[in-house]
Amino acid sequence: MEVVNAIGRRKAAVARVYVSEGSGKITINKRELEQYFPSTILQYVVKQPLNTLGVAEKYDIKINLDGGGIKGQSEAARLAIARSLVKINPEDKSVLRAEGFITRDPRSVERKKPGQPKARKRFQFSKR
């Protein structure tokens, strides 16, 4: 099997994923998964599509992560891994879609408006 690549985005984070046959090693920005995401919750989020299909020990995954915070990066990686698994085996798409791993989360930060301190917050109103 040749290398399968996919891209995943969430908020400001972008994840480029390269999946190849291997022993289940996940490398993010040339570091181990456990080193890049010390939080076990974020490690779990990244591995969710693999665990759902039961192929965690079957593929080696190399991820380039850029932008955003740790939560956005982990979810971008999850989307990219799910997309690459669908490229490898299209029959898995319905299972991953049912879990919500194929859908790109469109929510992002709302822009700041002029004449306001933030996106929705207004300056204090003074009658006199």
Side-chain angles (χ1 to χ4, degrees), residues 8 10 15 17 44-49 63 71 73-83 99-101 103 105:
R10 170 77 172 98
V17 166
Y44 173 75
V45 167
V46 172
K47 291 179 181 174
Q48 271 180 314
I63 306 173
K71 178 97 164 102
Q73 286 189 346
S74 66
E75 291 183 11
R78 177 176 74 181
L79 175 62
I81 289 169
R83 284 180 172 173
E99 294 288 328
F101 303 147
T103 309
D105 195 337

Side-chain angles (χ1 to χ4, degrees), residues 16-19 25-28 30 60-64:
R16 282 182 286 283
V17 166
Y18 304 92
V19 178
K25 190 175 178 203
I26 299 176
T27 312
I28 303 174
K30 297 179 180 169
D60 278 346
I61 300 173
K62 184 177 164 289
I63 306 173
N64 289 338

